[in-house]
Amino acid sequence: MKTRPCWIEIRTRALSDNFHFLKSLAPADAELLVILKSDAYGHSLEICAPALAAAGAKWMAVTSLEEGITARALCSGVRVMVIGGVVPGQGTELVKHDLTAVVWEPAQLDDLAVAARATGLGPASLPVHVEIDTGMSRQGASVEGLGAVLGHFAPDSPLRLEGVMTHLYAADESNGVATHAQMERLQQALAQVEAAGLYPDWLNVGNSAALLSGANQDIVALASRHGMKAMIRPGLALYGLAPRFEPADEAQPEKVTASSAHLEPVLTWKTEVIGLRDINPGDVVGYNGTFVATEPMRLALLTVGYADGLFRNLGNRFSLLVRGQRAPIVGRVSMDHTVIDVTEISDVVEGDEVVIIGSQGNETITAYDHADAAGTIPWEVLTRISSRIQRVAV
Ligand SMILES: *Cc1c(COP(=O)(O)O)cnc(C)c1O
């Protein structure tokens, strides 16, 4: 069937190259926990999980049990971690699908222990990672309340503390002050873990920013002081975009600029011209006539709209690529359609490919360009691309 022409191309080669490059930034005994939440940042879990497994990824992370079950069905030989928090009642399914939970509430641990015992698991046989709140106040056990959590790893418990996790909330701030404070709190937590006679394998800390800036060296050092190995969790960088460091109007840290040059965007978003029309001075374009022609113009109709994830506020203030040139969006972006001005671009015909994110000729539009124009971040641009758009591996 010929489908509506709006699609995403995923370069699995770029994904695997990015993975290998990021792996090279970490020491040999550290692992990458590749972040595949929210349908692999809009890149398709179905395409990306097997591609990363083939590239050598041993650990994958998703947000929910549902995503975990999908990832498990796609990849059998890898560890799959559910990092978004498990809801009591999910323990049995987690165990059944061989998923590793990140937990921080006693109730979550109780639920897992019950599920593990019910499946006949012996002492210390179900690995779990405990998250510590080192300053983000979003999730994780507080350093003060950690004792109650660690009590769940008594020798007769079926649970085994395999990893200690925390999330750095400002790894993209060049001065590193917040990260330093978080690492101090993490160290206090690790001292408690040791005092409780527990020896986890992994210190599970750090995102793309930590990996690219070199902050991962501190994580690795802290891990080795406690006889642990570092597990670092890149998301955005895996998909070929480097986080932008704060303050954004200052030069980016040198290490980050150097590493960014090795990353290659994985996703290209395309659509097609499905119609052309000529309009006259005085004609208006789109809902509420926010664009009024002042001269004769040639317009191209595209089959992409805000329901596909093209931000509606880009109307009259962003351009897309056709025939290797920038064509401004005119009028409002509609739910399923957008109109661009091709007056200055000769020979545009129906069926011409239009690039929304990606390169065409010598021009490139990045997820950052969309984010800057829409007043958001590339993470949101990528994850807002609608699931109704087909992803194809190329
Ligand atoms: C999403 C996420 C990451 C990845 O962050 P990036 O900035 O995309 O690299 C790492 N850790 C946790 C807990 C996350 O939720």
Side-chain angles (χ1 to χ4, degrees), residues 168-356:
L168 302 177
Y169 68 90
D172 56 355
E173 289 177 8
S174 302
N175 65 29
V177 173
T179 298
H180 185 73
Q182 285 194 270
M183 294 296 283
E184 298 257 288
R185 246 164 272 153
L186 183 59
Q187 189 161 354
Q188 293 164 15
L190 290 177
Q192 284 190 51
V193 169
E194 236 170 53
L198 297 168
Y199 299 95
D201 307 322
W202 298 102
L203 186 60
N204 181 344
V205 184
N207 51 8
S208 299
L211 198 50
L212 294 174
S213 70
N216 63 313
Q217 300 305 334
D218 300 337
I219 298 161
V220 168
L222 180 60
S224 80
R225 280 204 298 282
H226 289 269
M228 303 163 82
K229 288 178 290 182
M231 181 175 284
I232 301 154
R233 309 186 298 267
L236 194 69
L238 210 47
Y239 305 101
L241 292 164
R244 197 185 276 160
F245 277 62
E246 300 283 340
D249 54 355
E250 279 179 18
Q252 295 290 291
E254 232 168 80
K255 263 192 187 147
V256 178
T257 322
S259 329
S260 308
H262 294 272
L263 299 173
E264 194 190 336
V266 171
L267 169 154
T268 301
W269 184 7
K270 292 178 175 174
T271 184
E272 274 179 11
V273 172
I274 59 161
L276 287 158
R277 75 186 53 222
D278 294 306
I279 62 167
N280 297 309
D283 288 347
V284 302
V285 183
Y287 282 113
N288 305 102
T290 61
F291 183 91
V292 186
T294 55
E295 54 197 58
M297 289 178 78
R298 170 150 268 226
L299 304 179
L301 175 64
L302 311 180
T303 152
V304 64
Y306 62 76
D308 299 299
L310 181 65
F311 284 92
R312 182 171 174 275
N313 63 4
L314 299 188
N316 292 319
R317 43 196 287 253
F318 200 70
S319 296
L320 306 179
L321 302 178
V322 60
R323 302 221 157 213
Q325 294 181 62
R326 287 179 185 265
I329 295 173
V330 285
R332 291 206 164 133
V333 171
S334 303
M335 185 184 292
D336 302 321
H337 295 102
T338 297
V339 171
I340 55 174
D341 172 10
V342 294
T343 314
E344 304 295 327
I345 307 173
S346 51
D347 308 328
V348 173
V349 294
E350 267 179 44
D352 272 359
E353 217 168 80
V354 174
V355 167
I356 303 162

Side-chain angles (χ1 to χ4, degrees), residues 135-150:
M136 191 178 189
S137 312
R138 188 180 68 175
Q139 65 208 52
S142 67
V143 176
E144 297 71 30
L146 189 54
V149 172
L150 296 179

Side-chain angles (χ1 to χ4, degrees), residues 37 45 61-73 80-102 111-112:
K37 64 192 183 196
L45 181 62
V62 292
T63 288
S64 61
L65 170 64
E66 304 87 283
E67 290 177 350
I69 292 172
T70 308
R72 173 52 74 223
V80 175
M81 200 178 291
V82 175
I83 62 170
V86 298
V87 182
Q90 293 186 325
T92 308
E93 290 287 306
L94 282 162
V95 172
K96 177 175 155 198
H97 294 280
D98 188 20
L99 305 173
T100 303
V102 172
D111 187 52
L112 279 176

Side-chain angles (χ1 to χ4, degrees), residues 28-69:
D29 65 346
E31 276 293 348
L32 298 187
L33 171 59
V34 295
I35 302 286
L36 288 159
K37 64 192 183 196
S38 197
D39 204 24
Y41 286 36
H43 290 60
S44 166
L45 181 62
E46 199 181 329
I47 294 173
C48 295
L52 284 166
K58 296 192 177 67
W59 294 79
M60 299 182 173
V62 292
T63 288
S64 61
L65 170 64
E66 304 87 283
E67 290 177 350
I69 292 172

